[in-house]
Amino acid sequence: MGGYEYCWKNFLSAQSMKAIDALRREFRCLLKDIGLVDSNTANCNLWSSDVNLIRAVICYGLYPGICSVVHNEKSFSLKTMEDGQVLLYMNSINARETRIPYPWLLFNEKVKVNSVFLRDSTAVSDAVVLLFGGNLSKGDADGHLKMLGGYLEFFMEPAVADLYQCVRRELDDLIQRKLLFPKMSINVYDELISAVRLLISIDTCEGRFVFGRRVFKPSKSTVMATSHPASISRTESGPGGDNSKSQLQTLLTRAGYAAPSYKTKQLKNNQFRATVEFNGMQIMGQPCSNKKSAEKDAAAEALQWLMGGKQSGSEYISHMSKLLKKSKKDHN
């Protein structure tokens, strides 16, 4: 009777709680039958209070059901590789939050009504995705790792990237061995397990990895007009699309900033000149024949300013991704 009263006071379903308990018992019996756990229940709960490790286990089970968390000024948006922008199911606990302090969200299922809604979601850090997600591959530059064909990208110091790849290989090997030989003791892997727990616990969820911990933070709002011709291509393909405007927006939103805004003025000679504003910085482009071209030119000037005019092509895309990948918390 006490159990029913507790459920009533805490808005829980006693029937659902019984069903969950029955599933737990069934799962434990299955694990015991194949030798993954023994009769000592205490051994099964050694790390039950390690929230980071629990998130890692959920990631291992739900991946590639993953979406990116993009924080705006007062809210956040979610995007999946297949559906673009999605929403959280209205009864989801995470749907009540105004901010999710993680860069990724794992989900169990998608429901499409007028929009695509995610259900049963859990937020995870970069380190959890790198170690417990899918296949990990090297990117185009040193310190660049990617997953899902490049939809998930991570930028870090080359030595850190090598470390993650090494730990990931050893962790995959341990899991495969344990599945093949369930009764195998994992005590000999204590150092590896400690390293994994350390890596996922020290990731403070600031967003994407910051290359060299470089901070993009101007002291005050500044208008910057460049008089030299822009050397960055206005049409070259990049991670955000086929022009400088979409590239700039993608790189900023990946780093946790709000999308850039544009102000365009018509000049006396029937030309247009645009100014792009982001992160308290304003950068002015060159005069162009129409408004659309003027905005693209301003975006290209912003990209070139970020690079200092020293690189072009795919190099500046990688460099800027590294430069801008920092948390909005640090920015504020």
Side-chain angles (χ1 to χ4, degrees), residues 101 184 196 216:
M184 177 190 76
V196 170
F216 177 61

Side-chain angles (χ1 to χ4, degrees), residues 148-168:
L148 288 180
Y151 176 70
L152 309 184
E153 292 186 290
F154 307 87
F155 296 87
M156 63 201 82
E157 291 283 3
V160 177
D162 292 340
L163 169 66
Y164 269 96
Q165 288 184 297
C166 179
V167 173
R168 175 63 187 271

Side-chain angles (χ1 to χ4, degrees), residues 75-76 88 92-101:
S75 61
F76 63 88
L88 287 173
S92 170
I93 293 177
N94 283 328
R96 307 170 192 170
E97 302 296 325
T98 57
R99 182 174 179 82
I100 296 179

Side-chain angles (χ1 to χ4, degrees), residues 1 153 232 289 303:
M1 189 67 180
E153 292 186 290
I232 293 177
S289 58
L303 296 177

Side-chain angles (χ1 to χ4, degrees), residues 272-325:
F272 295 83
R273 193 169 202 172
T275 299
V276 57
E277 181 175 352
F278 57 93
N279 191 37
M281 179 69 66
Q282 294 178 338
I283 296 179
M284 187 179 295
Q286 301 298 315
C288 296
S289 58
N290 57 66
K291 181 179 178 180
K292 186 175 181 181
S293 297
E295 291 182 350
K296 289 183 179 180
D297 190 274
E301 294 288 356
L303 296 177
Q304 181 164 316
W305 176 80
L306 286 170
M307 284 305 302
K310 295 180 179 179
Q311 292 173 289
S312 61
S314 61
E315 293 180 350
Y316 83 82
I317 296 171
S318 297
H319 181 89
M320 280 187 300
S321 294
K322 298 168 187 175
L323 177 65
L324 291 172
K325 292 208 181 289

Side-chain angles (χ1 to χ4, degrees), residues 165-213:
Q165 288 184 297
C166 179
V167 173
R168 175 63 187 271
R169 285 193 296 266
E170 294 191 26
L171 180 60
D172 287 345
D173 182 65
L174 166 59
I175 293 173
Q176 291 301 317
R177 285 178 177 271
K178 185 64 176 176
L179 292 175
L180 291 173
F181 309 101
K183 295 184 179 181
M184 177 190 76
S185 174
I186 62 173
N187 292 335
V188 294
Y189 293 92
D190 282 347
E191 290 186 358
L192 172 61
I193 295 174
S194 296
V196 170
R197 295 183 68 194
L198 177 63
L199 285 172
I200 62 177
S201 65
I202 63 176
D203 188 342
T204 55
C205 304
E206 297 174 344
R208 314 303 190 274
F209 280 93
V210 183
F211 181 76
R213 311 305 298 175

Side-chain angles (χ1 to χ4, degrees), residues 215-227:
V215 177
F216 177 61
K217 185 177 181 181
S219 57
K220 59 182 180 179
S221 179
T222 305
V223 177
M224 182 175 299
T226 53
S227 58

